[in-house]
Amino acid sequence: MPTFVVEADGGSRGNPGPAGYGAAVIDAATGETLAETAEYIGVATNNVAEYKGLIAGLRAAYAIAPDATIRVRMDSKLVVEQMSGRWKIKHPDMKPLAAEARGVFPPSAVTYQWIPREKNKHADRLANEAMDAGRRGEQWEASTSAAGGAGRPAQEDETRVVGDATAGAAKARAALAGGRPASAPAAVVDAGTTAVTATPAVGWGTSADLGAPTTFVLLRHGETALTPEKRFSGSGGSDPGLSAAGLRQAEAVAAALAARGTIQEIVTSPLQRCRQTAAAVADRLGLDVRVEEGLRETDFGAWEGLTFGEVQERHPDDLAAWLASTKAAPTGGGESFATVARRVTAARDRLLTASPGRTVLLVTHVTPVKTLVRLALGAPPESLFRMELSAASLSAVAYYADGNASVRLLNDTAHLRS
């Protein structure tokens, strides 16, 4: 029966704010790092992130050896004392997380030890790498980590540990059917070793009632003259206004949103077509409009104003590269989808911090809407090419205090058909 040391670090840059986690599983006998896991988890509090870091580390250990004896070491006094049974868990958001942590291994197989913050360098670095990746609109990858690496010996003696006071935790929910969590998928880091990478929550799980989420209602602007011709129209072109059809669409969606009565704030891209669409809604709802630069459309470079066929004819190699990778930019200095994802992620985090628990209408474009949906689902970048988004359509994403997100609506155009 093996004995593992689980080191976990969790925290939030803002409390609540953008959060991430890092955790490592170490062989107590040899000091070898057996697995690492890290992930950006969106907006969450320090305490939620700390508990999720613990859950992520325990799940990583369980994936290696379900019969292992576990020594958890953290620099979170709160988690260590509560999980050891010496402090009561009073906050309702923490109770289900603690229960989930207890459900990974039999309680008799796990002990908890508090250690000073300076002993947590390995997992602390993992956690910060995950939060930095999230800020760029990316997911943490074991292959790019500088924290330590599975298969390498621990850097200090057995008292070395990673705490969780200021970095974050994985989305570690029990699977749909409940019971013991399924093993997390693994990614090869060094020959003969693996690093467990956390995955988003699956199914309903056992999440707490974390109160009202922050909800972004995502409105793509109405049509311009370029829309029905399916021409590239980003932030690097002529900045067209709404066509007559687009103005009618804006009025229709404004009426629909007024009937729902749920919008509390309006934020728009700086481009004219979005400003006009936002103005129609604002006039109907009696709200002000804020401009967020991060919500502008992709700069399509030399492709602005061209159809797909025209780009195929003029720039076939560049188009092929663009379709094959979200890191490829359009001809002539445009933005890659990866670059746009970093920009949109930063805008999302600013808006979540500014409007907690509110329902906010974001009037924006195809790429930002698809990016926000993709990130909420934890879907791969290629999914951008597999979503349909009509002019003046509505989508919605809810963001919860524990860092989870839920896509509630996608490409709704019912208001345009009435």
Side-chain angles (χ1 to χ4, degrees), residues 312-367:
Q312 175 68 55
E313 182 180 345
R314 301 180 192 184
H315 310 286
D317 293 340
D318 290 348
L319 180 60
W322 183 73
L323 292 172
S325 172
T326 56
K327 296 181 180 180
T331 310
E335 291 179 293
S336 70
F337 282 151
T339 298
V340 175
R342 290 192 288 272
R343 166 163 58 81
V344 170
T345 298
R348 177 201 65 189
D349 290 346
R350 287 193 295 270
L351 293 169
L352 286 172
T353 300
S355 304
R358 307 273 285 176
T359 298
V360 185
L361 179 69
L362 306 188
V363 186
T364 181
H365 309 264
V366 170
T367 310

Short mmCIF file of all heavy atoms in Angstrom, two decimals, residues 312-367:
data_model
loop_
_atom_site.label_atom_id
_atom_site.label_comp_id
_atom_site.label_asym_id
_atom_site.label_seq_id
_atom_site.Cartn_x
_atom_site.Cartn_y
_atom_site.Cartn_z
N GLN A 312 -9.84 32.70 -50.31
CA GLN A 312 -9.32 31.43 -50.81
C GLN A 312 -8.55 31.63 -52.10
O GLN A 312 -7.49 31.02 -52.33
CB GLN A 312 -10.47 30.45 -51.03
CG GLN A 312 -10.07 29.12 -51.66
CD GLN A 312 -9.22 28.27 -50.75
OE1 GLN A 312 -9.62 27.98 -49.63
NE2 GLN A 312 -8.04 27.89 -51.20
N GLU A 313 -9.04 32.50 -52.95
CA GLU A 313 -8.40 32.75 -54.24
C GLU A 313 -7.12 33.56 -54.10
O GLU A 313 -6.12 33.29 -54.77
CB GLU A 313 -9.38 33.48 -55.15
CG GLU A 313 -8.85 33.76 -56.54
CD GLU A 313 -9.85 34.48 -57.42
OE1 GLU A 313 -11.05 34.50 -57.06
OE2 GLU A 313 -9.45 35.03 -58.47
N ARG A 314 -7.13 34.56 -53.22
CA ARG A 314 -6.00 35.49 -53.11
C ARG A 314 -4.94 35.03 -52.11
O ARG A 314 -3.76 35.32 -52.29
CB ARG A 314 -6.51 36.87 -52.70
CG ARG A 314 -7.52 37.47 -53.67
CD ARG A 314 -7.96 38.83 -53.20
NE ARG A 314 -9.13 39.31 -53.94
CZ ARG A 314 -9.68 40.51 -53.79
NH1 ARG A 314 -9.14 41.38 -52.93
NH2 ARG A 314 -10.75 40.87 -54.48
N HIS A 315 -5.36 34.38 -51.04
CA HIS A 315 -4.41 34.02 -49.97
C HIS A 315 -4.64 32.57 -49.54
O HIS A 315 -4.93 32.31 -48.36
CB HIS A 315 -4.59 34.96 -48.77
CG HIS A 315 -4.58 36.41 -49.10
ND1 HIS A 315 -3.43 37.09 -49.45
CD2 HIS A 315 -5.61 37.33 -49.16
CE1 HIS A 315 -3.73 38.36 -49.68
NE2 HIS A 315 -5.04 38.53 -49.52
N PRO A 316 -4.53 31.61 -50.43
CA PRO A 316 -4.89 30.22 -50.09
C PRO A 316 -4.05 29.62 -48.97
O PRO A 316 -4.58 28.91 -48.11
CB PRO A 316 -4.70 29.47 -51.41
CG PRO A 316 -3.74 30.33 -52.19
CD PRO A 316 -4.07 31.73 -51.83
N ASP A 317 -2.76 29.90 -48.96
CA ASP A 317 -1.90 29.31 -47.93
C ASP A 317 -2.21 29.88 -46.56
O ASP A 317 -2.27 29.15 -45.55
CB ASP A 317 -0.43 29.53 -48.28
CG ASP A 317 0.00 28.76 -49.52
OD1 ASP A 317 -0.69 27.80 -49.89
OD2 ASP A 317 1.02 29.15 -50.13
N ASP A 318 -2.40 31.20 -46.52
CA ASP A 318 -2.72 31.83 -45.23
C ASP A 318 -4.07 31.36 -44.71
O ASP A 318 -4.23 31.14 -43.50
CB ASP A 318 -2.72 33.35 -45.38
CG ASP A 318 -1.33 33.93 -45.59
OD1 ASP A 318 -0.35 33.19 -45.39
OD2 ASP A 318 -1.23 35.11 -45.97
N LEU A 319 -5.02 31.19 -45.59
CA LEU A 319 -6.34 30.74 -45.17
C LEU A 319 -6.27 29.31 -44.65
O LEU A 319 -6.89 28.98 -43.63
CB LEU A 319 -7.33 30.82 -46.33
CG LEU A 319 -8.76 30.38 -46.01
CD1 LEU A 319 -9.37 31.24 -44.91
CD2 LEU A 319 -9.63 30.41 -47.27
N ALA A 320 -5.51 28.46 -45.32
CA ALA A 320 -5.37 27.07 -44.88
C ALA A 320 -4.74 27.02 -43.49
O ALA A 320 -5.17 26.24 -42.62
CB ALA A 320 -4.54 26.28 -45.87
N ALA A 321 -3.73 27.85 -43.27
CA ALA A 321 -3.09 27.88 -41.95
C ALA A 321 -4.06 28.38 -40.89
O ALA A 321 -4.10 27.86 -39.77
CB ALA A 321 -1.85 28.78 -42.00
N TRP A 322 -4.87 29.36 -41.23
CA TRP A 322 -5.84 29.94 -40.29
C TRP A 322 -6.90 28.91 -39.90
O TRP A 322 -7.30 28.82 -38.74
CB TRP A 322 -6.47 31.15 -40.94
CG TRP A 322 -7.44 31.92 -40.11
CD1 TRP A 322 -7.17 32.74 -39.05
CD2 TRP A 322 -8.86 31.97 -40.30
NE1 TRP A 322 -8.32 33.30 -38.57
CE2 TRP A 322 -9.38 32.85 -39.31
CE3 TRP A 322 -9.74 31.38 -41.20
CZ2 TRP A 322 -10.74 33.13 -39.21
CZ3 TRP A 322 -11.10 31.66 -41.10
CH2 TRP A 322 -11.59 32.52 -40.11
N LEU A 323 -7.34 28.14 -40.87
CA LEU A 323 -8.35 27.11 -40.60
C LEU A 323 -7.77 25.95 -39.79
O LEU A 323 -8.49 25.25 -39.08
CB LEU A 323 -8.94 26.58 -41.90
CG LEU A 323 -9.79 27.57 -42.70
CD1 LEU A 323 -10.16 26.98 -44.06
CD2 LEU A 323 -11.06 27.94 -41.93
N ALA A 324 -6.45 25.76 -39.89
CA ALA A 324 -5.81 24.64 -39.20
C ALA A 324 -5.40 24.96 -37.78
O ALA A 324 -5.23 24.06 -36.96
CB ALA A 324 -4.58 24.18 -39.99
N SER A 325 -5.25 26.23 -37.45
CA SER A 325 -4.75 26.59 -36.12
C SER A 325 -5.29 27.94 -35.68
O SER A 325 -5.25 28.91 -36.44
CB SER A 325 -3.22 26.64 -36.11
OG SER A 325 -2.72 27.15 -34.88
N THR A 326 -5.78 28.01 -34.45
CA THR A 326 -6.26 29.28 -33.91
C THR A 326 -5.12 30.22 -33.56
O THR A 326 -5.36 31.36 -33.18
CB THR A 326 -7.12 29.03 -32.66
OG1 THR A 326 -6.36 28.29 -31.70
CG2 THR A 326 -8.39 28.27 -33.01
N LYS A 327 -3.89 29.75 -33.70
CA LYS A 327 -2.74 30.61 -33.45
C LYS A 327 -2.28 31.33 -34.72
O LYS A 327 -1.41 32.20 -34.66
CB LYS A 327 -1.59 29.80 -32.87
CG LYS A 327 -1.88 29.20 -31.50
CD LYS A 327 -0.71 28.42 -30.95
CE LYS A 327 -1.04 27.84 -29.58
NZ LYS A 327 0.10 27.06 -29.02
N ALA A 328 -2.85 30.97 -35.86
CA ALA A 328 -2.48 31.60 -37.13
C ALA A 328 -3.30 32.86 -37.33
O ALA A 328 -4.51 32.89 -37.08
CB ALA A 328 -2.71 30.63 -38.28
N ALA A 329 -2.65 33.92 -37.78
CA ALA A 329 -3.32 35.21 -37.99
C ALA A 329 -3.66 35.39 -39.47
O ALA A 329 -3.00 34.83 -40.35
CB ALA A 329 -2.42 36.35 -37.53
N PRO A 330 -4.70 36.16 -39.77
CA PRO A 330 -5.02 36.47 -41.16
C PRO A 330 -3.87 37.23 -41.84
O PRO A 330 -2.99 37.79 -41.18
CB PRO A 330 -6.27 37.35 -41.05
CG PRO A 330 -6.86 37.02 -39.73
CD PRO A 330 -5.69 36.73 -38.84
N THR A 331 -3.91 37.26 -43.14
CA THR A 331 -2.90 37.97 -43.93
C THR A 331 -2.85 39.45 -43.56
O THR A 331 -3.88 40.07 -43.30
CB THR A 331 -3.23 37.85 -45.43
OG1 THR A 331 -3.47 36.48 -45.75
CG2 THR A 331 -2.10 38.39 -46.29
N GLY A 332 -1.65 39.99 -43.51
CA GLY A 332 -1.52 41.43 -43.37
C GLY A 332 -1.58 41.96 -41.96
O GLY A 332 -1.95 43.12 -41.73
N GLY A 333 -1.24 41.13 -40.98
CA GLY A 333 -1.14 41.64 -39.62
C GLY A 333 -2.41 41.62 -38.81
O GLY A 333 -2.55 42.39 -37.85
N GLY A 334 -3.36 40.77 -39.18
CA GLY A 334 -4.57 40.64 -38.38
C GLY A 334 -4.33 39.88 -37.08
O GLY A 334 -3.20 39.48 -36.77
N GLU A 335 -5.40 39.65 -36.32
CA GLU A 335 -5.31 38.95 -35.05
C GLU A 335 -5.63 37.46 -35.20
O GLU A 335 -6.57 37.10 -35.91
CB GLU A 335 -6.31 39.52 -34.04
CG GLU A 335 -6.03 40.91 -33.54
CD GLU A 335 -7.11 41.36 -32.57
OE1 GLU A 335 -8.26 41.53 -33.00
OE2 GLU A 335 -6.80 41.53 -31.37
N SER A 336 -4.88 36.63 -34.52
CA SER A 336 -5.25 35.22 -34.43
C SER A 336 -6.38 35.06 -33.43
O SER A 336 -6.60 35.92 -32.57
CB SER A 336 -4.05 34.38 -33.99
OG SER A 336 -3.73 34.66 -32.63
N PHE A 337 -7.10 33.94 -33.51
CA PHE A 337 -8.15 33.68 -32.54
C PHE A 337 -7.56 33.50 -31.14
O PHE A 337 -8.22 33.78 -30.14
CB PHE A 337 -8.96 32.46 -32.94
CG PHE A 337 -9.97 32.73 -34.03
CD1 PHE A 337 -10.35 31.73 -34.90
CD2 PHE A 337 -10.54 33.98 -34.18
CE1 PHE A 337 -11.30 31.96 -35.90
CE2 PHE A 337 -11.47 34.24 -35.18
CZ PHE A 337 -11.85 33.23 -36.04
N ALA A 338 -6.33 33.00 -31.05
CA ALA A 338 -5.68 32.86 -29.74
C ALA A 338 -5.46 34.22 -29.10
O ALA A 338 -5.66 34.41 -27.89
CB ALA A 338 -4.36 32.12 -29.89
N THR A 339 -5.05 35.19 -29.91
CA THR A 339 -4.87 36.55 -29.40
C THR A 339 -6.19 37.15 -28.95
O THR A 339 -6.29 37.78 -27.89
CB THR A 339 -4.25 37.44 -30.50
OG1 THR A 339 -2.96 36.93 -30.84
CG2 THR A 339 -4.11 38.88 -30.02
N VAL A 340 -7.24 36.93 -29.75
CA VAL A 340 -8.57 37.43 -29.39
C VAL A 340 -9.05 36.78 -28.09
O VAL A 340 -9.65 37.45 -27.24
CB VAL A 340 -9.57 37.19 -30.52
CG1 VAL A 340 -10.98 37.60 -30.10
CG2 VAL A 340 -9.15 37.95 -31.77
N ALA A 341 -8.77 35.49 -27.92
CA ALA A 341 -9.20 34.80 -26.70
C ALA A 341 -8.57 35.43 -25.47
O ALA A 341 -9.24 35.58 -24.43
CB ALA A 341 -8.84 33.32 -26.78
N ARG A 342 -7.31 35.81 -25.54
CA ARG A 342 -6.66 36.46 -24.40
C ARG A 342 -7.33 37.80 -24.11
O ARG A 342 -7.55 38.15 -22.94
CB ARG A 342 -5.16 36.63 -24.68
CG ARG A 342 -4.39 35.34 -24.68
CD ARG A 342 -2.89 35.58 -24.67
NE ARG A 342 -2.41 36.09 -25.95
CZ ARG A 342 -2.02 35.31 -26.96
NH1 ARG A 342 -2.08 34.01 -26.86
NH2 ARG A 342 -1.57 35.86 -28.07
N ARG A 343 -7.62 38.54 -25.14
CA ARG A 343 -8.27 39.85 -24.96
C ARG A 343 -9.67 39.70 -24.37
O ARG A 343 -10.06 40.44 -23.45
CB ARG A 343 -8.32 40.57 -26.31
CG ARG A 343 -9.23 41.76 -26.35
CD ARG A 343 -8.94 42.67 -27.52
NE ARG A 343 -9.02 42.05 -28.82
CZ ARG A 343 -10.14 41.81 -29.50
NH1 ARG A 343 -11.31 42.08 -28.95
NH2 ARG A 343 -10.10 41.30 -30.71
N VAL A 344 -10.44 38.76 -24.90
CA VAL A 344 -11.80 38.56 -24.43
C VAL A 344 -11.81 38.04 -23.00
O VAL A 344 -12.65 38.44 -22.18
CB VAL A 344 -12.56 37.61 -25.37
CG1 VAL A 344 -13.90 37.19 -24.78
CG2 VAL A 344 -12.77 38.27 -26.73
N THR A 345 -10.88 37.15 -22.67
CA THR A 345 -10.79 36.63 -21.31
C THR A 345 -10.51 37.75 -20.31
O THR A 345 -11.12 37.81 -19.23
CB THR A 345 -9.70 35.56 -21.21
OG1 THR A 345 -10.03 34.48 -22.07
CG2 THR A 345 -9.55 35.04 -19.78
N ALA A 346 -9.61 38.64 -20.66
CA ALA A 346 -9.31 39.77 -19.77
C ALA A 346 -10.52 40.66 -19.60
O ALA A 346 -10.82 41.12 -18.49
CB ALA A 346 -8.13 40.57 -20.34
N ALA A 347 -11.26 40.90 -20.69
CA ALA A 347 -12.47 41.71 -20.60
C ALA A 347 -13.52 41.02 -19.74
O ALA A 347 -14.19 41.66 -18.90
CB ALA A 347 -13.02 41.97 -22.00
N ARG A 348 -13.69 39.71 -19.93
CA ARG A 348 -14.63 38.94 -19.12
C ARG A 348 -14.33 39.09 -17.64
O ARG A 348 -15.23 39.34 -16.82
CB ARG A 348 -14.58 37.47 -19.51
CG ARG A 348 -15.46 36.56 -18.68
CD ARG A 348 -14.99 35.11 -18.77
NE ARG A 348 -13.67 34.95 -18.18
CZ ARG A 348 -12.95 33.84 -18.27
NH1 ARG A 348 -13.41 32.80 -18.94
NH2 ARG A 348 -11.75 33.77 -17.70
N ASP A 349 -13.07 38.94 -17.27
CA ASP A 349 -12.70 39.00 -15.86
C ASP A 349 -12.93 40.40 -15.28
O ASP A 349 -13.34 40.54 -14.13
CB ASP A 349 -11.24 38.58 -15.68
CG ASP A 349 -11.03 37.10 -15.93
OD1 ASP A 349 -12.03 36.36 -15.99
OD2 ASP A 349 -9.87 36.67 -16.10
N ARG A 350 -12.65 41.43 -16.09
CA ARG A 350 -12.94 42.79 -15.61
C ARG A 350 -14.42 42.99 -15.35
O ARG A 350 -14.83 43.57 -14.34
CB ARG A 350 -12.45 43.82 -16.64
CG ARG A 350 -10.95 43.98 -16.72
CD ARG A 350 -10.56 45.22 -17.51
NE ARG A 350 -10.96 45.14 -18.91
CZ ARG A 350 -10.20 44.64 -19.88
NH1 ARG A 350 -9.01 44.14 -19.59
NH2 ARG A 350 -10.61 44.64 -21.13
N LEU A 351 -15.23 42.49 -16.25
CA LEU A 351 -16.68 42.67 -16.12
C LEU A 351 -17.24 41.86 -14.96
O LEU A 351 -18.15 42.31 -14.26
CB LEU A 351 -17.36 42.29 -17.43
CG LEU A 351 -17.04 43.22 -18.61
CD1 LEU A 351 -17.55 42.62 -19.92
CD2 LEU A 351 -17.66 44.60 -18.39
N LEU A 352 -16.72 40.66 -14.76
CA LEU A 352 -17.18 39.85 -13.63
C LEU A 352 -16.85 40.51 -12.30
O LEU A 352 -17.64 40.47 -11.35
CB LEU A 352 -16.56 38.45 -13.70
CG LEU A 352 -17.10 37.51 -14.76
CD1 LEU A 352 -16.26 36.24 -14.84
CD2 LEU A 352 -18.56 37.17 -14.50
N THR A 353 -15.67 41.10 -12.24
CA THR A 353 -15.27 41.79 -11.01
C THR A 353 -16.13 43.02 -10.77
O THR A 353 -16.49 43.34 -9.63
CB THR A 353 -13.79 42.19 -11.10
OG1 THR A 353 -12.99 41.01 -11.26
CG2 THR A 353 -13.34 42.92 -9.85
N ALA A 354 -16.50 43.72 -11.86
CA ALA A 354 -17.25 44.96 -11.72
C ALA A 354 -18.73 44.75 -11.42
O ALA A 354 -19.36 45.63 -10.82
CB ALA A 354 -17.10 45.79 -13.00
N SER A 355 -19.27 43.59 -11.81
CA SER A 355 -20.73 43.41 -11.71
C SER A 355 -21.12 42.07 -11.09
O SER A 355 -21.88 41.30 -11.70
CB SER A 355 -21.35 43.55 -13.11
OG SER A 355 -21.03 44.78 -13.70
N PRO A 356 -20.64 41.74 -9.90
CA PRO A 356 -20.97 40.45 -9.31
C PRO A 356 -22.46 40.30 -9.05
O PRO A 356 -23.11 41.21 -8.53
CB PRO A 356 -20.17 40.46 -7.99
CG PRO A 356 -19.98 41.91 -7.67
CD PRO A 356 -19.83 42.59 -9.00
N GLY A 357 -23.01 39.14 -9.44
CA GLY A 357 -24.41 38.86 -9.19
C GLY A 357 -25.40 39.59 -10.07
O GLY A 357 -26.61 39.49 -9.88
N ARG A 358 -24.90 40.31 -11.07
CA ARG A 358 -25.76 41.11 -11.94
C ARG A 358 -26.02 40.39 -13.27
O ARG A 358 -25.31 39.46 -13.64
CB ARG A 358 -25.11 42.47 -12.23
CG ARG A 358 -24.69 43.24 -10.99
CD ARG A 358 -25.79 44.08 -10.44
NE ARG A 358 -26.00 45.28 -11.26
CZ ARG A 358 -26.98 46.16 -11.05
NH1 ARG A 358 -27.83 45.96 -10.05
NH2 ARG A 358 -27.11 47.23 -11.81
N THR A 359 -27.05 40.84 -13.97
CA THR A 359 -27.31 40.35 -15.32
C THR A 359 -26.92 41.46 -16.28
O THR A 359 -27.53 42.54 -16.28
CB THR A 359 -28.79 39.98 -15.50
OG1 THR A 359 -29.11 38.91 -14.60
CG2 THR A 359 -29.06 39.52 -16.92
N VAL A 360 -25.91 41.20 -17.08
CA VAL A 360 -25.29 42.22 -17.91
C VAL A 360 -25.43 41.84 -19.38
O VAL A 360 -25.08 40.72 -19.78
CB VAL A 360 -23.79 42.39 -17.57
CG1 VAL A 360 -23.18 43.54 -18.36
CG2 VAL A 360 -23.60 42.60 -16.07
N LEU A 361 -25.93 42.75 -20.19
CA LEU A 361 -26.02 42.54 -21.63
C LEU A 361 -24.71 42.97 -22.26
O LEU A 361 -24.30 44.13 -22.13
CB LEU A 361 -27.17 43.36 -22.21
CG LEU A 361 -27.35 43.24 -23.74
CD1 LEU A 361 -27.84 41.84 -24.12
CD2 LEU A 361 -28.30 44.31 -24.26
N LEU A 362 -24.04 42.05 -22.95
CA LEU A 362 -22.83 42.36 -23.69
C LEU A 362 -23.17 42.38 -25.17
O LEU A 362 -23.53 41.35 -25.75
CB LEU A 362 -21.73 41.33 -23.43
CG LEU A 362 -21.35 41.04 -21.97
CD1 LEU A 362 -20.13 40.12 -21.92
CD2 LEU A 362 -21.10 42.32 -21.20
N VAL A 363 -23.08 43.53 -25.79
CA VAL A 363 -23.37 43.66 -27.22
C VAL A 363 -22.03 43.58 -27.95
O VAL A 363 -21.19 44.47 -27.82
CB VAL A 363 -24.09 44.98 -27.53
CG1 VAL A 363 -24.51 45.01 -29.00
CG2 VAL A 363 -25.30 45.15 -26.62
N THR A 364 -21.85 42.52 -28.71
CA THR A 364 -20.54 42.26 -29.27
C THR A 364 -20.64 41.53 -30.61
O THR A 364 -21.62 41.73 -31.34
CB THR A 364 -19.66 41.52 -28.23
OG1 THR A 364 -18.36 41.29 -28.77
CG2 THR A 364 -20.28 40.23 -27.77
N HIS A 365 -19.67 40.70 -30.93
CA HIS A 365 -19.52 40.15 -32.27
C HIS A 365 -19.43 38.62 -32.22
O HIS A 365 -19.41 38.02 -31.15
CB HIS A 365 -18.27 40.72 -32.92
CG HIS A 365 -18.17 42.21 -32.88
ND1 HIS A 365 -18.57 43.03 -33.91
CD2 HIS A 365 -17.72 43.05 -31.89
CE1 HIS A 365 -18.37 44.30 -33.57
NE2 HIS A 365 -17.86 44.35 -32.36
N VAL A 366 -19.29 38.04 -33.40
CA VAL A 366 -19.25 36.58 -33.51
C VAL A 366 -18.11 35.98 -32.68
O VAL A 366 -18.33 35.09 -31.84
CB VAL A 366 -19.11 36.15 -34.98
CG1 VAL A 366 -18.82 34.65 -35.07
CG2 VAL A 366 -20.38 36.47 -35.75
N THR A 367 -16.88 36.44 -32.91
CA THR A 367 -15.75 35.81 -32.24
C THR A 367 -15.80 35.96 -30.72
O THR A 367 -15.59 34.98 -30.00
CB THR A 367 -14.41 36.34 -32.79
OG1 THR A 367 -14.42 36.27 -34.21
CG2 THR A 367 -13.26 35.50 -32.25
#
